[in-house]
Amino acid sequence: MTTSAKHTELRQLVRSQLLILLESNNLQGAKSLLVPVQPVDIAEAIEDLPESMQVIAFRLLSKAEAIEVYEYLDSSVQQALVQKFKRQEVQDVVDQMSPDDRVRLFDELPAKIVRQLLEQLSPEERQATNLLLGYEEDTAGRVMTPEYISLKETFTVAETIERIRQQANKSEIIYYLYVTNASRQLVGIVSLRDLVIADLDLPLSAIMTRDVVSVHTDTDQEEVARTIQRYDLLALPVVDRENRLVGVVTVDDVIDIIEQETTEDIYALGGLQTDGDNYFQMNLWTVARQRVVWLFVLLITNTFTGWIIKSQEALLQEVVILAAFIPLLTGTGGNVGAQSSTVVIRGLNTEDLNDLGPGKVVIREAIAGALLGLILGTVVIIWAYFLQGDLAVAISVGVSLVAIAVLASVAGSSLPFLFRYLGLDPALMSAPFITTAVDVIGVLIYFNIARLMLGL
Protein backbone atom coordinates (compact mmCIF):
# COMPACT_ATOMS: atom_id res chain seq x y z
CA MET A 1 0.00 0.00 0.00
CA THR A 2 1.37 3.44 -0.91
CA THR A 3 1.92 6.20 1.65
CA SER A 4 -0.88 8.22 0.09
CA ALA A 5 -3.26 5.25 0.36
CA LYS A 6 -2.30 4.76 4.02
CA HIS A 7 -3.02 8.43 4.76
CA THR A 8 -6.38 8.19 3.01
CA GLU A 9 -7.25 5.07 4.99
CA LEU A 10 -6.16 6.73 8.26
CA ARG A 11 -8.18 9.84 7.51
CA GLN A 12 -11.28 7.81 6.71
CA LEU A 13 -10.82 5.75 9.88
CA VAL A 14 -10.39 8.83 12.08
CA ARG A 15 -13.28 10.57 10.38
CA SER A 16 -15.67 7.60 10.75
CA GLN A 17 -14.72 7.01 14.40
CA LEU A 18 -14.95 10.71 15.18
CA LEU A 19 -18.38 10.94 13.57
CA ILE A 20 -19.68 7.96 15.57
CA LEU A 21 -18.38 9.40 18.85
CA LEU A 22 -19.79 12.88 18.15
CA GLU A 23 -23.18 11.51 17.12
CA SER A 24 -23.32 9.56 20.39
CA ASN A 25 -22.26 12.73 22.26
CA ASN A 26 -19.15 10.94 23.58
CA LEU A 27 -16.97 14.04 23.61
CA GLN A 28 -14.34 12.59 25.95
CA GLY A 29 -13.94 9.58 23.65
CA ALA A 30 -13.63 11.87 20.62
CA LYS A 31 -11.01 13.94 22.43
CA SER A 32 -8.98 10.82 23.29
CA LEU A 33 -9.26 9.62 19.69
CA LEU A 34 -7.57 12.79 18.38
CA VAL A 35 -4.68 12.84 20.85
CA PRO A 36 -2.24 10.60 18.88
CA VAL A 37 -3.32 11.87 15.45
CA GLN A 38 -1.14 14.30 13.47
CA PRO A 39 -2.57 17.84 13.03
CA VAL A 40 -2.80 17.51 9.23
CA ASP A 41 -4.79 14.28 9.56
CA ILE A 42 -7.07 15.87 12.17
CA ALA A 43 -7.66 18.78 9.81
CA GLU A 44 -8.66 16.47 6.97
CA ALA A 45 -10.93 14.45 9.27
CA ILE A 46 -12.66 17.65 10.45
CA GLU A 47 -13.12 18.83 6.85
CA ASP A 48 -15.00 15.61 6.07
CA LEU A 49 -17.41 16.02 9.00
CA PRO A 50 -20.87 17.58 8.59
CA GLU A 51 -20.63 21.36 9.00
CA SER A 52 -22.56 21.30 12.27
CA MET A 53 -19.97 18.97 13.83
CA GLN A 54 -16.81 20.69 12.60
CA VAL A 55 -16.84 23.36 15.28
CA ILE A 56 -17.59 20.76 18.00
CA ALA A 57 -14.63 18.61 16.92
CA PHE A 58 -12.35 21.65 16.72
CA ARG A 59 -13.21 22.72 20.26
CA LEU A 60 -12.02 19.34 21.55
CA LEU A 61 -8.43 20.25 20.65
CA SER A 62 -5.96 21.85 23.01
CA LYS A 63 -5.18 25.51 22.31
CA ALA A 64 -1.72 24.81 20.85
CA GLU A 65 -2.98 21.94 18.71
CA ALA A 66 -6.03 23.90 17.56
CA ILE A 67 -3.82 26.62 16.08
CA GLU A 68 -1.74 24.10 14.17
CA VAL A 69 -4.79 22.18 12.93
CA TYR A 70 -6.49 25.41 11.88
CA GLU A 71 -3.58 26.31 9.58
CA TYR A 72 -4.05 23.00 7.73
CA LEU A 73 -7.79 23.41 7.18
CA ASP A 74 -9.20 24.33 3.80
CA SER A 75 -9.96 28.06 3.53
CA SER A 76 -13.71 27.45 3.20
CA VAL A 77 -13.72 25.48 6.49
CA GLN A 78 -11.57 28.17 8.14
CA GLN A 79 -14.15 30.78 7.13
CA ALA A 80 -17.05 28.70 8.40
CA LEU A 81 -15.34 28.14 11.76
CA VAL A 82 -14.44 31.81 12.20
CA GLN A 83 -18.10 32.76 11.80
CA LYS A 84 -19.14 30.17 14.43
CA PHE A 85 -16.43 30.82 16.98
CA LYS A 86 -16.95 33.01 19.97
CA ARG A 87 -14.95 36.24 19.91
CA GLN A 88 -12.30 34.99 22.36
CA GLU A 89 -11.85 31.75 20.40
CA VAL A 90 -11.23 33.70 17.21
CA GLN A 91 -8.74 35.94 18.93
CA ASP A 92 -6.86 32.99 20.45
CA VAL A 93 -6.54 31.15 17.15
CA VAL A 94 -5.89 34.04 14.76
CA ASP A 95 -3.44 35.82 17.04
CA GLN A 96 -1.27 32.71 17.35
CA MET A 97 -1.20 31.87 13.63
CA SER A 98 1.99 32.59 11.72
CA PRO A 99 1.66 35.91 9.83
CA ASP A 100 1.79 34.35 6.35
CA ASP A 101 -0.90 31.78 7.19
CA ARG A 102 -2.99 34.51 8.79
CA VAL A 103 -2.75 36.66 5.66
CA ARG A 104 -3.76 33.67 3.55
CA LEU A 105 -6.87 33.31 5.73
CA PHE A 106 -7.64 37.05 5.53
CA ASP A 107 -7.45 36.89 1.73
CA GLU A 108 -10.45 34.54 1.80
CA LEU A 109 -12.56 36.39 4.37
CA PRO A 110 -14.95 39.32 3.76
CA ALA A 111 -13.33 42.73 4.35
CA LYS A 112 -15.64 43.49 7.27
CA ILE A 113 -14.56 40.36 9.18
CA VAL A 114 -10.89 41.04 8.37
CA ARG A 115 -11.16 44.54 9.87
CA GLN A 116 -12.72 43.09 13.03
CA LEU A 117 -10.03 40.42 13.32
CA LEU A 118 -7.24 42.96 12.77
CA GLU A 119 -8.59 45.08 15.63
CA GLN A 120 -8.47 42.05 17.94
CA LEU A 121 -4.82 41.21 17.17
CA SER A 122 -1.98 42.22 19.44
CA PRO A 123 -0.09 45.33 18.23
CA GLU A 124 2.92 43.25 17.09
CA GLU A 125 0.84 40.74 15.15
CA ARG A 126 -1.32 43.51 13.66
CA GLN A 127 1.78 45.31 12.40
CA ALA A 128 3.22 42.11 10.89
CA THR A 129 -0.11 41.29 9.23
CA ASN A 130 -0.62 44.79 7.84
CA LEU A 131 2.90 44.66 6.43
CA LEU A 132 2.14 41.51 4.42
CA LEU A 133 -1.34 42.71 3.40
CA GLY A 134 0.31 45.81 1.91
CA TYR A 135 1.99 43.76 -0.80
CA GLU A 136 0.22 42.64 -3.98
CA GLU A 137 -1.31 39.19 -4.11
CA ASP A 138 0.79 36.33 -5.52
CA THR A 139 4.06 38.13 -4.81
CA ALA A 140 6.95 37.19 -2.52
CA GLY A 141 5.94 39.97 -0.12
CA ARG A 142 2.48 38.50 0.30
CA VAL A 143 3.58 34.91 0.99
CA MET A 144 6.72 35.56 3.08
CA THR A 145 6.92 35.37 6.84
CA PRO A 146 8.52 38.22 8.80
CA GLU A 147 9.47 35.76 11.56
CA TYR A 148 13.14 35.01 10.98
CA ILE A 149 16.43 35.47 12.81
CA SER A 150 18.69 38.23 11.58
CA LEU A 151 22.13 38.89 13.00
CA LYS A 152 24.96 41.39 12.73
CA GLU A 153 28.20 40.31 11.08
CA THR A 154 30.17 41.47 14.14
CA PHE A 155 28.48 38.84 16.33
CA THR A 156 30.69 35.95 17.40
CA VAL A 157 29.53 32.36 16.97
CA ALA A 158 28.94 32.11 20.74
CA GLU A 159 26.81 35.28 20.75
CA THR A 160 24.89 34.00 17.76
CA ILE A 161 24.06 30.66 19.40
CA GLU A 162 22.82 32.52 22.47
CA ARG A 163 20.70 34.80 20.25
CA ILE A 164 19.19 31.78 18.51
CA ARG A 165 18.22 30.26 21.85
CA GLN A 166 16.44 33.49 22.77
CA GLN A 167 14.60 33.94 19.47
CA ALA A 168 14.03 30.37 18.27
CA ASN A 169 10.43 30.23 19.49
CA LYS A 170 9.58 33.44 17.65
CA SER A 171 11.15 32.42 14.35
CA GLU A 172 9.59 30.18 11.71
CA ILE A 173 13.03 28.90 10.67
CA ILE A 174 16.42 28.59 12.37
CA TYR A 175 18.35 26.50 9.85
CA TYR A 176 19.31 29.63 7.90
CA LEU A 177 20.60 32.70 9.72
CA TYR A 178 20.57 35.97 7.83
CA VAL A 179 23.27 38.58 8.40
CA THR A 180 22.49 42.28 7.93
CA ASN A 181 24.47 45.51 8.22
CA ALA A 182 23.59 48.65 10.16
CA SER A 183 21.09 49.63 7.43
CA ARG A 184 19.32 46.24 7.70
CA GLN A 185 20.62 45.35 4.24
CA LEU A 186 21.19 41.65 3.63
CA VAL A 187 24.94 41.00 3.40
CA GLY A 188 25.32 37.28 4.11
CA ILE A 189 23.88 33.99 5.23
CA VAL A 190 25.06 31.32 7.68
CA SER A 191 23.69 27.79 7.82
CA LEU A 192 23.04 26.20 11.20
CA ARG A 193 25.53 23.47 10.25
CA ASP A 194 28.35 25.97 9.59
CA LEU A 195 27.55 27.73 12.84
CA VAL A 196 27.65 24.57 14.95
CA ILE A 197 31.03 23.40 13.66
CA ALA A 198 32.70 26.85 13.81
CA ASP A 199 35.01 28.11 16.57
CA LEU A 200 32.99 29.97 19.22
CA ASP A 201 35.19 33.07 19.05
CA LEU A 202 34.96 33.58 15.30
CA PRO A 203 32.84 36.50 14.03
CA LEU A 204 29.97 35.70 11.66
CA SER A 205 31.73 37.68 8.94
CA ALA A 206 34.39 34.94 8.88
CA ILE A 207 31.99 32.05 8.22
CA MET A 208 29.06 33.60 6.37
CA THR A 209 28.40 33.22 2.64
CA ARG A 210 28.27 36.62 0.97
CA ASP A 211 26.82 35.41 -2.33
CA VAL A 212 23.19 35.26 -1.19
CA VAL A 213 20.31 34.28 -3.45
CA SER A 214 17.28 36.47 -2.70
CA VAL A 215 14.12 37.84 -4.30
CA HIS A 216 12.35 41.18 -4.07
CA THR A 217 9.00 41.77 -2.43
CA ASP A 218 7.29 42.22 -5.81
CA THR A 219 8.71 39.02 -7.34
CA ASP A 220 5.94 36.74 -8.59
CA GLN A 221 5.33 33.73 -6.36
CA GLU A 222 5.93 31.34 -9.28
CA GLU A 223 9.38 32.87 -9.75
CA VAL A 224 9.99 32.43 -6.02
CA ALA A 225 9.08 28.74 -6.28
CA ARG A 226 11.37 28.26 -9.29
CA THR A 227 14.26 29.97 -7.46
CA ILE A 228 13.91 27.72 -4.42
CA GLN A 229 13.71 24.67 -6.70
CA ARG A 230 16.69 25.78 -8.79
CA TYR A 231 19.03 26.30 -5.83
CA ASP A 232 17.65 23.47 -3.62
CA LEU A 233 16.89 25.87 -0.79
CA LEU A 234 14.78 25.35 2.31
CA ALA A 235 14.06 29.07 2.60
CA LEU A 236 14.60 32.17 0.48
CA PRO A 237 15.20 35.69 1.87
CA VAL A 238 13.02 38.53 0.58
CA VAL A 239 14.40 42.07 0.33
CA ASP A 240 12.86 45.44 -0.53
CA ARG A 241 14.06 47.91 -3.15
CA GLU A 242 16.85 49.09 -0.84
CA ASN A 243 18.00 45.47 -0.35
CA ARG A 244 16.78 45.49 3.26
CA LEU A 245 15.77 42.10 4.58
CA VAL A 246 11.99 42.08 5.22
CA GLY A 247 11.01 38.40 5.26
CA VAL A 248 11.60 34.79 4.30
CA VAL A 249 9.67 32.38 2.07
CA THR A 250 9.92 28.80 3.33
CA VAL A 251 9.80 25.63 1.27
CA ASP A 252 6.49 24.47 2.81
CA ASP A 253 4.84 27.65 1.51
CA VAL A 254 6.40 27.03 -1.90
CA ILE A 255 4.90 23.54 -2.08
CA ASP A 256 1.48 25.12 -1.52
CA ILE A 257 2.22 27.68 -4.24
CA ILE A 258 3.26 25.01 -6.74
CA GLU A 259 0.13 22.99 -6.04
CA GLN A 260 -2.07 26.08 -6.37
CA GLU A 261 -0.45 27.25 -9.61
CA THR A 262 -0.52 23.76 -11.15
CA THR A 263 -4.21 23.38 -10.30
CA GLU A 264 -5.01 26.77 -11.83
CA ASP A 265 -3.07 25.90 -15.01
CA ILE A 266 -4.83 22.55 -15.41
CA TYR A 267 -8.23 24.17 -14.87
CA ALA A 268 -7.34 26.91 -17.35
CA LEU A 269 -6.40 24.32 -20.00
CA GLY A 270 -9.98 23.09 -19.70
CA GLY A 271 -11.35 26.63 -20.06
CA LEU A 272 -12.24 26.88 -16.38
CA GLN A 273 -11.62 30.14 -14.52
CA THR A 274 -11.07 29.79 -10.77
CA ASP A 275 -10.19 32.11 -7.93
CA GLY A 276 -8.09 29.47 -6.17
CA ASP A 277 -11.14 27.96 -4.47
CA ASN A 278 -11.58 24.22 -4.03
CA TYR A 279 -13.68 23.25 -7.05
CA PHE A 280 -15.40 20.34 -5.34
CA GLN A 281 -16.54 22.54 -2.46
CA MET A 282 -18.10 25.23 -4.66
CA ASN A 283 -21.86 25.48 -5.00
CA LEU A 284 -23.21 24.34 -8.36
CA TRP A 285 -24.20 27.84 -9.46
CA THR A 286 -20.59 28.99 -9.07
CA VAL A 287 -19.40 25.88 -10.91
CA ALA A 288 -21.73 26.66 -13.83
CA ARG A 289 -20.74 30.35 -13.85
CA GLN A 290 -17.02 29.58 -14.02
CA ARG A 291 -17.39 27.04 -16.81
CA VAL A 292 -20.00 28.65 -19.00
CA VAL A 293 -17.93 31.53 -20.43
CA TRP A 294 -15.68 29.50 -22.69
CA LEU A 295 -18.45 27.04 -23.48
CA PHE A 296 -20.40 29.98 -24.90
CA VAL A 297 -17.34 31.03 -26.92
CA LEU A 298 -16.98 27.52 -28.32
CA LEU A 299 -20.71 27.33 -29.01
CA ILE A 300 -20.56 30.49 -31.09
CA THR A 301 -17.36 29.60 -32.94
CA ASN A 302 -18.67 26.14 -33.78
CA THR A 303 -21.47 27.79 -35.71
CA PHE A 304 -18.80 28.85 -38.23
CA THR A 305 -17.95 25.19 -38.78
CA GLY A 306 -21.63 24.44 -39.36
CA TRP A 307 -21.87 27.34 -41.79
CA ILE A 308 -18.90 26.01 -43.82
CA ILE A 309 -20.38 22.50 -43.95
CA LYS A 310 -23.71 23.95 -45.10
CA SER A 311 -21.95 25.94 -47.83
CA GLN A 312 -20.62 22.63 -49.21
CA GLU A 313 -24.09 21.12 -49.45
CA ALA A 314 -23.81 20.41 -53.19
CA LEU A 315 -20.56 18.50 -52.74
CA LEU A 316 -21.93 16.48 -49.82
CA GLN A 317 -25.09 15.59 -51.77
CA GLU A 318 -22.90 14.21 -54.54
CA VAL A 319 -20.47 12.33 -52.24
CA VAL A 320 -22.38 11.80 -49.00
CA ILE A 321 -19.67 9.62 -47.49
CA LEU A 322 -17.41 12.69 -47.11
CA ALA A 323 -19.55 13.82 -44.15
CA ALA A 324 -18.77 10.62 -42.24
CA PHE A 325 -15.08 11.58 -41.88
CA ILE A 326 -15.54 15.17 -40.63
CA PRO A 327 -15.67 14.20 -36.90
CA LEU A 328 -12.54 12.04 -37.38
CA LEU A 329 -10.57 14.89 -38.92
CA THR A 330 -11.64 17.67 -36.53
CA GLY A 331 -11.32 15.41 -33.49
CA THR A 332 -7.83 14.25 -34.41
CA GLY A 333 -6.76 17.79 -35.27
CA GLY A 334 -8.05 19.05 -31.93
CA ASN A 335 -6.14 16.36 -30.08
CA VAL A 336 -2.88 17.13 -31.91
CA GLY A 337 -3.33 20.85 -31.21
CA ALA A 338 -4.06 20.17 -27.53
CA GLN A 339 -0.87 18.12 -27.25
CA SER A 340 1.24 20.89 -28.77
CA SER A 341 -0.32 23.65 -26.68
CA THR A 342 0.06 21.61 -23.49
CA VAL A 343 3.78 21.04 -23.91
CA VAL A 344 4.39 24.66 -24.96
CA ILE A 345 2.37 26.14 -22.07
CA ARG A 346 4.19 23.87 -19.64
CA GLY A 347 7.50 24.85 -21.20
CA LEU A 348 6.61 28.54 -20.82
CA ASN A 349 5.77 28.03 -17.15
CA THR A 350 8.99 26.17 -16.41
CA GLU A 351 11.06 28.44 -18.69
CA ASP A 352 12.39 25.39 -20.54
CA LEU A 353 11.73 27.16 -23.87
CA ASN A 354 13.84 30.22 -23.15
CA ASP A 355 16.82 28.85 -25.06
CA LEU A 356 14.82 27.81 -28.13
CA GLY A 357 12.60 30.85 -28.72
CA PRO A 358 9.16 30.91 -30.37
CA GLY A 359 10.37 30.38 -33.96
CA LYS A 360 12.29 27.17 -33.30
CA VAL A 361 9.53 25.82 -31.09
CA VAL A 362 6.84 26.37 -33.75
CA ILE A 363 9.01 24.84 -36.50
CA ARG A 364 9.79 21.85 -34.30
CA GLU A 365 6.10 21.29 -33.55
CA ALA A 366 5.18 21.73 -37.23
CA ILE A 367 7.63 18.95 -38.18
CA ALA A 368 6.29 16.78 -35.36
CA GLY A 369 2.75 17.48 -36.63
CA ALA A 370 3.78 16.45 -40.16
CA LEU A 371 5.24 13.17 -38.90
CA LEU A 372 2.13 12.48 -36.85
CA GLY A 373 -0.05 13.36 -39.85
CA LEU A 374 1.87 10.97 -42.13
CA ILE A 375 1.57 8.11 -39.65
CA LEU A 376 -2.10 8.69 -38.86
CA GLY A 377 -2.95 9.62 -42.48
CA THR A 378 -1.51 6.35 -43.82
CA VAL A 379 -3.56 4.34 -41.35
CA VAL A 380 -6.69 6.37 -42.14
CA ILE A 381 -6.30 5.86 -45.91
CA ILE A 382 -6.17 2.10 -45.44
CA TRP A 383 -9.04 2.12 -42.98
CA ALA A 384 -11.25 4.43 -45.08
CA TYR A 385 -10.66 2.36 -48.22
CA PHE A 386 -11.43 -0.83 -46.28
CA LEU A 387 -14.73 0.68 -45.06
CA GLN A 388 -15.91 2.43 -48.23
CA GLY A 389 -13.98 0.94 -51.12
CA ASP A 390 -13.43 4.39 -52.67
CA LEU A 391 -9.69 5.12 -53.09
CA ALA A 392 -10.15 8.81 -54.02
CA VAL A 393 -12.21 9.51 -50.88
CA ALA A 394 -9.74 7.54 -48.75
CA ILE A 395 -6.79 9.54 -50.11
CA SER A 396 -8.71 12.80 -49.58
CA VAL A 397 -9.22 11.94 -45.93
CA GLY A 398 -5.61 10.87 -45.43
CA VAL A 399 -4.06 13.90 -47.12
CA SER A 400 -6.44 16.21 -45.26
CA LEU A 401 -5.39 14.63 -41.99
CA VAL A 402 -1.72 15.40 -42.73
CA ALA A 403 -2.54 19.05 -43.47
CA ILE A 404 -4.79 19.36 -40.40
CA ALA A 405 -2.16 17.81 -38.12
CA VAL A 406 0.41 20.37 -39.29
CA LEU A 407 -2.14 23.19 -38.89
CA ALA A 408 -3.06 22.02 -35.39
CA SER A 409 0.58 21.73 -34.31
CA VAL A 410 1.40 25.23 -35.58
CA ALA A 411 -1.70 26.72 -33.93
CA GLY A 412 -1.11 24.80 -30.71
CA SER A 413 2.50 25.92 -30.43
CA SER A 414 2.22 29.51 -31.66
CA LEU A 415 -0.96 30.74 -29.95
CA PRO A 416 0.42 30.34 -26.39
CA PHE A 417 3.36 32.60 -27.36
CA LEU A 418 0.97 35.12 -28.92
CA PHE A 419 -1.33 35.25 -25.89
CA ARG A 420 1.60 35.59 -23.52
CA TYR A 421 2.96 38.47 -25.63
CA LEU A 422 -0.46 40.15 -25.39
CA GLY A 423 -0.43 39.77 -21.60
CA LEU A 424 -3.17 37.11 -21.58
CA ASP A 425 -3.11 33.72 -19.85
CA PRO A 426 -1.97 31.18 -22.51
CA ALA A 427 -3.46 28.27 -20.56
CA LEU A 428 -6.90 29.85 -20.47
CA MET A 429 -6.98 31.37 -23.96
CA SER A 430 -5.33 28.73 -26.15
CA ALA A 431 -7.75 25.79 -26.06
CA PRO A 432 -10.85 27.50 -27.51
CA PHE A 433 -8.93 29.30 -30.23
CA ILE A 434 -7.03 26.16 -31.26
CA THR A 435 -10.30 24.23 -31.46
CA THR A 436 -11.86 26.96 -33.57
CA ALA A 437 -8.89 27.24 -35.93
CA VAL A 438 -8.66 23.49 -36.44
CA ASP A 439 -12.40 23.01 -36.94
CA VAL A 440 -13.03 25.92 -39.30
CA ILE A 441 -9.85 25.83 -41.38
CA GLY A 442 -9.57 22.03 -41.19
CA VAL A 443 -13.02 21.51 -42.68
CA LEU A 444 -12.22 24.00 -45.45
CA ILE A 445 -8.98 22.14 -46.23
CA TYR A 446 -10.83 18.81 -46.30
CA PHE A 447 -13.51 19.94 -48.76
CA ASN A 448 -11.01 21.58 -51.09
CA ILE A 449 -8.75 18.51 -51.16
CA ALA A 450 -11.80 16.31 -51.74
CA ARG A 451 -12.91 18.48 -54.68
CA LEU A 452 -9.43 18.25 -56.17
CA MET A 453 -9.11 14.47 -55.70
CA LEU A 454 -12.64 13.72 -56.90
CA GLY A 455 -12.49 16.17 -59.83
CA LEU A 456 -15.67 17.99 -58.74
Side-chain angles (χ1 to χ4, degrees):
M1 184 181 291
T2 63
T3 303
S4 176
K6 288 179 181 176
H7 287 164
T8 302
E9 187 177 327
L10 174 63
R11 185 187 67 183
Q12 291 173 344
L13 179 63
V14 173
R15 185 258 181 196
S16 61
Q17 292 296 314
L18 188 59
L19 183 60
I20 291 170
L21 292 168
L22 291 176
E23 285 178 339
S24 60
N25 204 30
N26 185 355
L27 299 184
Q28 189 57 45
K31 191 173 183 178
S32 301
L33 171 72
L34 297 177
V35 169
V37 183
Q38 293 290 324
V40 63
D41 295 322
I42 296 176
E44 290 186 348
I46 289 177
E47 287 173 358
D48 290 343
L49 289 174
E51 194 172 326
S52 59
M53 290 187 178
Q54 288 175 340
V55 69
I56 298 174
F58 191 81
R59 283 173 173 155
L60 296 175
L61 304 171
S62 66
K63 186 175 176 181
E65 194 172 34
I67 294 162
E68 196 168 357
V69 169
Y70 191 80
E71 292 184 349
Y72 284 115
L73 289 170
D74 186 84
S75 60
S76 60
V77 180
Q78 287 180 330
Q79 289 181 54
L81 289 177
V82 162
Q83 291 168 355
K84 291 176 183 175
F85 283 162
K86 294 175 183 174
R87 181 170 179 167
Q88 187 59 46
E89 287 177 312
V90 175
Q91 188 171 349
D92 288 345
V93 171
V94 176
D95 197 73
Q96 294 299 318
M97 293 176 74
S98 57
D100 51 330
D101 289 328
R102 187 186 303 129
V103 167
R104 200 173 299 130
L105 168 66
F106 284 4
D107 282 338
E108 304 293 336
L109 294 174
K112 182 179 177 182
I113 295 178
V114 171
R115 282 197 296 273
Q116 293 173 351
L117 293 176
L118 277 171
E119 290 173 1
Q120 296 170 20
L121 292 174
S122 63
E124 284 185 3
E125 295 300 330
R126 189 185 309 132
Q127 183 182 6
T129 306
N130 282 329
L131 171 69
L132 301 191
L133 287 172
Y135 295 110
E136 289 187 22
E137 290 188 27
D138 301 333
T139 62
R142 197 61 172 258
V143 299
M144 70 182 184
T145 174
E147 295 179 338
Y148 57 89
I149 295 177
S150 89
L151 306 155
K152 302 302 177 189
E153 55 186 321
T154 54
F155 284 6
T156 64
V157 170
E159 290 173 331
T160 301
I161 292 174
E162 182 57 31
R163 180 64 67 93
I164 293 172
R165 286 175 177 164
Q166 294 172 358
Q167 298 188 357
N169 290 333
K170 298 178 182 176
S171 175
E172 195 161 322
I173 61 165
I174 61 169
Y175 32 82
Y176 289 143
L177 308 168
Y178 300 101
V179 184
T180 58
N181 61 18
S183 302
R184 289 178 45 222
Q185 291 174 319
L186 182 64
V187 294
I189 183 172
V190 179
S191 72
L192 193 58
R193 178 182 179 280
D194 291 340
L195 187 75
V196 170
I197 63 177
D199 188 277
L200 291 175
D201 295 326
L202 279 177
L204 284 183
S205 58
I207 62 171
M208 70 180 188
T209 301
R210 295 184 183 274
D211 185 17
V212 183
V213 177
S214 63
V215 292
H216 287 94
T217 51
D218 57 356
T219 303
D220 187 87
Q221 62 177 9
E222 283 190 89
E223 178 63 29
V224 173
R226 279 195 292 269
T227 304
I228 285 184
Q229 180 189 34
R230 177 182 177 85
Y231 293 99
D232 291 330
L233 300 173
L234 296 175
L236 183 65
V238 182
V239 298
D240 62 12
R241 292 183 185 279
E242 284 74 40
N243 200 38
R244 292 176 300 194
L245 181 63
V246 292
V248 175
V249 179
T250 55
V251 70
D252 59 318
D253 293 324
V254 165
I255 292 172
D256 293 338
I257 292 169
I258 292 173
E259 181 181 355
Q260 174 194 339
E261 295 289 346
T262 303
T263 301
E264 287 179 6
D265 287 345
I266 291 173
Y267 283 178
L269 283 171
L272 178 63
Q273 292 177 296
T274 70
D275 299 322
D277 298 328
N278 187 328
Y279 176 83
F280 295 102
Q281 293 182 352
M282 296 177 188
N283 64 58
L284 291 177
W285 171 247
T286 304
V287 168
R289 181 172 54 80
Q290 292 191 345
R291 294 173 62 170
V292 75
V293 176
W294 283 120
L295 291 177
F296 264 129
V297 173
L298 289 172
L299 188 69
I300 293 170
T301 55
N302 280 336
T303 58
F304 289 104
T305 309
W307 178 78
I308 290 172
I309 293 174
K310 187 175 183 302
S311 69
Q312 303 295 322
E313 189 174 357
L315 174 63
L316 290 173
Q317 283 179 346
E318 198 163 341
V319 190
V320 178
I321 194 60
L322 288 174
F325 294 101
I326 293 176
L328 180 150
L329 294 170
T330 55
T332 305
N335 292 335
V336 172
Q339 286 180 335
S340 292
S341 66
T342 299
V343 295
V344 171
I345 290 168
R346 185 59 185 159
L348 287 172
N349 289 338
T350 59
E351 298 184 347
D352 289 341
L353 302 181
N354 288 353
D355 295 336
L356 287 176
K360 289 183 179 178
V361 172
V362 174
I363 291 172
R364 177 186 165 87
E365 283 302 305
I367 295 172
L371 290 173
L372 288 168
L374 287 171
I375 296 169
L376 297 173
T378 303
V379 174
V380 165
I381 289 173
I382 298 171
W383 183 243
Y385 181 72
F386 174 76
L387 288 177
Q388 306 299 331
D390 188 326
L391 184 60
V393 170
I395 293 175
S396 300
V397 177
V399 172
S400 297
L401 188 54
V402 175
I404 290 172
V406 174
L407 166 70
S409 296
V410 172
S413 56
S414 60
L415 286 176
F417 284 109
L418 175 63
F419 290 129
R420 189 173 203 183
Y421 176 76
L422 296 175
L424 303 171
D425 183 358
L428 183 63
M429 301 293 293
S430 297
F433 283 91
I434 291 169
T435 302
T436 302
V438 171
D439 286 0
V440 174
I441 302 176
V443 169
L444 270 176
I445 290 172
Y446 175 46
F447 284 135
N448 281 289
I449 290 176
R451 283 184 183 280
L452 186 65
M453 293 299 301
L454 297 171
L456 298 174

